[in-house]
Amino acid sequence: MLKQFLLVALGGAIGSALRYLTAILLARHYTSSIPLATLVVNVVGCFLIGLLIGLCSDTAHLRLLFITGFCGGFTTFSTFTAESYAMFREGTYGLAILYIVGSVLIGLLALWVGVYLSRAIAS
């Protein structure tokens, strides 16, 4: 269990650091009205998790290091997308659509509630 935990932690640390580096580099070279760094990280993360699912499917330790750790640290959007893809692949289309729409809408609602509460606490 400790070895698996450390693999996820190592991959997550590397993924998080690369996400931060990507944001810094893009902010230096591009200005945009959309959050370009997040878009780039999400798209690259989705590509990588797709590639890694195919390459690491037989090796649990590599999956923990690269898919759970690295991709999870780089962007959780890649995990969200992979889970949605798996539901579509399994033929649970309604559940997949509910998961996607529900995640976005409930996530936005949770963010709104968090901002509202933080302002109420700060007042």
Side-chain angles (χ1 to χ4, degrees):
M1 181 69 174
L2 179 61
K3 181 178 181 179
Q4 290 88 348
F5 178 82
L6 292 174
L7 286 168
V8 171
L10 174 63
I14 294 167
S16 295
L18 284 177
R19 187 205 188 321
Y20 180 67
L21 180 62
T22 302
I24 290 171
L25 291 174
L26 285 173
R28 282 187 189 166
H29 299 287
Y30 301 100
T31 56
S32 176
S33 58
I34 63 165
L36 185 60
T38 302
L39 177 64
V40 168
V41 164
N42 286 342
V43 171
V44 170
C46 289
F47 170 76
L48 286 175
I49 203 167
L51 186 65
L52 291 167
I53 285 171
L55 294 175
C56 301
S57 61
D58 297 333
T59 311
H61 289 96
L62 291 178
R63 288 180 65 86
L64 289 171
L65 176 65
F66 292 116
I67 295 172
T68 305
F70 179 80
C71 287
F74 191 60
T75 172
T76 57
F77 186 78
S78 61
T79 303
F80 168 71
T81 305
E83 291 167 344
S84 301
Y85 169 77
M87 287 184 221
F88 279 116
R89 193 181 64 227
E90 293 166 3
T92 55
Y93 305 111
L95 186 61
I97 291 168
L98 181 65
Y99 176 62
I100 293 165
V101 172
S103 294
V104 172
L105 294 180
I106 294 168
L108 284 169
L109 178 63
L111 181 126
W112 180 81
V113 169
V115 168
Y116 178 80
L117 287 176
S118 71
R119 289 180 180 162
I121 292 168
S123 307

